[in-house]
Amino acid sequence: MISQKMQEQVKSSSVIRAMFEEGKRLAGIYGAENVYDFSLGNPSVEPPEEVRKAIIEIANDKNSLGVHGYMNNSGYEDVRTAIANSINEKYSTAFTHNNIIMTVGAAGGLNVILKTLLNPQDEVITFAPFFGEYRSYVKNFEGELVVISPNTKDFQPNLEEFKGKITPKTKAVIVNSPNNPTGVVYSEDTIIKLSEILRDKQKEFGTDIYLVSDEPYRELAYNNVEVPYLTKYYANTIVGYSFSKSLSLPGERIGYLVISEQAADYENIISAANIANRILGFVNAPSLFQRVIAKCLDAKVNLEAYNQNRELLYNELVSYGYDCTKPEGAFYLFVKTPIENDAEFCKLANEKNILIVPGTAFGCPGYVRIAYCVAYKTIEKALPGFKALIEELKA
Amino acid sequence: MISQKMQEQVKSSSVIRAMFEEGKRLAGIYGAENVYDFSLGNPSVEPPEEVRKAIIEIANDKNSLGVHGYMNNSGYEDVRTAIANSINEKYSTAFTHNNIIMTVGAAGGLNVILKTLLNPQDEVITFAPFFGEYRSYVKNFEGELVVISPNTKDFQPNLEEFKGKITPKTKAVIVNSPNNPTGVVYSEDTIIKLSEILRDKQKEFGTDIYLVSDEPYRELAYNNVEVPYLTKYYANTIVGYSFSKSLSLPGERIGYLVISEQAADYENIISAANIANRILGFVNAPSLFQRVIAKCLDAKVNLEAYNQNRELLYNELVSYGYDCTKPEGAFYLFVKTPIENDAEFCKLANEKNILIVPGTAFGCPGYVRIAYCVAYKTIEKALPGFKALIEELKA
């Protein structure tokens, strides 16, 4: 018998599995090219050519033990130095390798930092809509996820409600900008206010509250919109970064944590995160790809391809009468469903061979997430279905 | 403030850190080439040339999204099929891709299966001496590690004590053969008796007890000694494998779980392990290296190099008067300390610029682990120190 916790997980994941099965069923009937799968955040843009070059160059290194062997659990020091320098250059910060821990993607990094920080029953706040995995990550360490309800006006965090929900048990706040699922970038004004609230509450309760910034989409920001670097606004900030989207390498599981020296209990956090990386079973971030990304810190995926998808999909859906905030980053569109029941809307979309995810999965019912990291022509071919859908529902 | 659990971890890990610092201090004084570091299980033999070829071939694949993208959390189906076929060929089993879950090394695999199985307070049994990380892995899921005391005669598991320690709360038993730290291979006779005991106790208590076989050293067995494949002896067996040592790729974090269809609750275990892989933050095993190892399943590291180290070190130490079971596998020698206090002996060894690990770290005081995955000449240069040590202690 599997554990009780996992029995619940298996039960609740059956919804997603059913959707996956439905996609396969549709592909079987209509052909995969006639099923429009907008359900997954799997990059559609190739990794930059620098990645291929770096892999081959490193693989040809004569010292292959130095490429594939164990290193410090925090990762290669030279790689961490290169990352620190790159951040410093972009955001005028002053990090060194001592502030960087290489992780198995951002998901690995978040688990490492939550293991480091959480005692059972500690509270972690996040803002709906949010990446549903946070719920599991916090549960892994017996914490309680506290969800702030969505501000559907512009999908900036609801700071009034936030203020009221911080308690002496609040240990961390997770933010995600550019946001999955809305594509919204939290503005500098938002960050300044959020930081002030946190500082006030820390003083009021005599606690430390860590701001954990989950940033896999940092590099996917359109029209040069600014994505504030949070360590500059709030001392107790920890950044979780991933190269999954910035270099289209999600399968390689490579990312890092930035732990600021300004953060309370900094030295213990570094020691503990290093140990957590090890004992959670990650041990270290994959070694070849540590070296690969160090050579590709200035490389970029073809953001214009995502931008074209964004413009096409957003403009067309709005012209059909859909209600939606234009995303400034990531590769998701978060659309209000013309009927209240988002799961029902997804079922109707399935009938048009369109696969999308109900907002309920992100703590925001009445919306759907459309992942537009797909081929341009997939969007073109799906548009008549989206149009027919809203017309039928409004008829 | 970091969590209470991690405060304890930081405190207890300071011993190892102190040792690491001592190694650095000695290297600073005497030069790294005059410090003989036998403390780490980091392979000293290069990965086989097939690995380099496979990396370059795959990196040159035109479809790089198919190399670096997300796949099913269990891993690529074709890779899992190749692994199943390879196991079937070697051990006359009948696995398919449905029995294989790709993991972030064996450490990742063990955490996945323990998350899948353990309820809080469930007991997991292991046999001293054992890999100390098991303690942390079991604690990650609120389980209790029950340690069977060592049988220092030949370091086969102490089955009499084992029988008496199985309770209705026993959920799993972890075995590790070839063993870290002894290098001993559990004999077929041991496995047959252990399986019988487990079957009897399952019947007595009406429970399922899973045998988890941690096998990073399976391929490192000398003189063709047989390492039994445990699924053939006991139905509720789960194998955790890693390519860290068999292909000298420990930094790449690539391994797999084998979950037999004969195991009780098989389908739920597969579903839950797949989800655990995701929510623990691994998401999937690194994608490029999944494809690499699939091309290298018949490749072998130069085992003869380790064997030469083993012969030299074992024969010399025994000739000096050390007491030690000759290892049949892995790359460790487990030696009785001439004085009772193993930590004290390690300190004396440090004075000869020799770094080794006290047996206490493996639940077996009065012994030390010498990792002989080092250059042959490192052993040659360290031998006079080992000789002097025992002579001084016996004088």
Side-chain angles (χ1 to χ4, degrees), chain A residues 139-386:
Chain A
K139 251 194 227 161
N140 282 340
F141 310 105
E142 311 297 323
E144 307 282 345
L145 188 71
V146 175
V147 178
I148 306 302
S149 54
N151 154 23
T152 54
K153 214 186 71 195
D154 57 8
F155 290 107
Q156 295 287 320
N158 184 338
L159 295 180
E160 265 317 301
E161 183 178 331
F162 174 57
K163 209 186 290 187
K165 289 259 178 87
I166 302 172
T167 77
K169 300 217 71 146
T170 305
K171 193 61 176 275
V173 176
I174 305 179
V175 291
N176 171 220
S177 163
N179 182 264
N180 174 8
T182 64
V184 164
V185 173
Y186 291 0
S187 68
E188 186 176 32
D189 185 53
T190 292
I191 299 303
I192 289 172
K193 284 179 182 153
L194 186 144
S195 302
E196 276 168 9
I197 293 169
L198 284 172
R199 274 189 294 268
D200 286 350
K201 290 291 177 180
Q202 286 190 143
K203 210 177 281 174
E204 181 183 340
F205 298 130
T207 55
D208 294 312
I209 306 173
Y210 294 92
L211 180 61
V212 177
S213 184
D214 178 26
E215 306 195 344
Y217 303 102
R218 165 166 289 280
E219 258 56 70
L220 271 57
Y222 305 107
N223 302 334
N224 299 314
V225 61
E226 201 208 340
V227 183
Y229 207 80
L230 302 199
T231 57
K232 298 167 74 176
Y233 298 85
Y234 183 68
N236 283 340
T237 293
I238 290 157
V239 176
Y241 185 87
S242 165
F243 294 91
S244 293
K245 277 77 185 194
S246 63
L247 296 178
S248 290
L249 300 172
E252 303 299 353
R253 315 308 306 131
I254 183 78
Y256 60 79
L257 288 170
V258 184
I259 301 171
S260 165
E261 246 135 340
Q262 310 302 315
D265 211 18
Y266 159 77
E267 291 203 6
N268 274 324
I269 294 178
I270 286 283
S271 300
N274 198 34
I275 295 170
N277 212 0
R278 200 189 81 219
I279 66 179
L280 287 173
F282 301 112
V283 181
N284 56 253
S287 52
L288 173 72
F289 269 86
Q290 289 190 41
R291 298 216 172 278
V292 169
I293 58 92
K295 284 178 182 280
C296 299
L297 291 171
D298 294 324
K300 285 176 173 44
V301 292
N302 177 11
L303 198 58
E304 189 45 32
Y306 291 135
N307 193 29
Q308 284 168 8
N309 288 359
R310 177 180 77 125
E311 293 289 352
L312 175 66
L313 189 62
Y314 173 78
N315 290 331
E316 288 298 310
L317 293 196
V318 167
S319 81
Y320 306 156
Y322 286 98
D323 183 358
C324 165
T325 300
K326 187 167 186 179
E328 292 186 289
F331 40 46
Y332 306 110
L333 207 64
F334 203 57
V335 181
K336 194 164 166 29
T337 49
I339 52 172
E340 215 179 302
N341 188 326
D342 50 340
E344 182 58 30
F345 182 78
C346 290
K347 266 190 209 155
L348 295 173
N350 278 1
E351 289 170 16
K352 314 278 186 213
N353 289 1
I354 293 171
L355 307 180
I356 49 182
V357 182
T360 302
F362 306 94
C364 190
Y367 287 78
V368 286
R369 187 190 77 172
I370 308 175
Y372 58 79
C373 45
V374 296
Y376 190 79
K377 72 163 187 290
T378 300
I379 300 175
E380 285 181 322
K381 288 173 76 178
L383 285 174
F386 279 112

Side-chain angles (χ1 to χ4, degrees), chain B residues 267-281:
Chain B
E267 290 203 8
N268 273 325
I269 294 177
I270 286 283
S271 299
N274 197 34
I275 295 170
N277 212 359
R278 200 190 81 219
I279 67 180
L280 287 172

Side-chain angles (χ1 to χ4, degrees), chain A residues 1 3-4 46 52 59 61 64 68 115-116 119 133 140 171 251-253 278-279 282 284 287, chain B residues 1 3-4 46 52 59 61 64 68 115-116 119 133 140 171 251-253 278-279 282 284 287-288:
Chain A
M1 283 283 287
S3 72
Q4 275 166 355
E46 296 274 324
R52 188 194 311 271
D61 193 312
S64 56
H68 306 299
K115 169 114 183 150
T116 296
N119 287 312
E133 296 292 273
N140 282 340
K171 193 61 176 275
E252 303 299 353
R253 315 308 306 131
R278 200 189 81 219
I279 66 179
F282 301 112
N284 56 253
S287 52
Chain B
M1 281 283 287
S3 72
Q4 274 166 355
E46 295 274 324
R52 189 195 311 270
D61 192 314
S64 57
H68 307 299
K115 168 113 184 153
T116 296
N119 286 312
E133 296 292 271
N140 283 339
K171 192 62 176 276
E252 303 299 353
R253 315 310 303 131
R278 200 190 81 219
I279 67 180
F282 300 112
N284 56 252
S287 52
L288 173 72

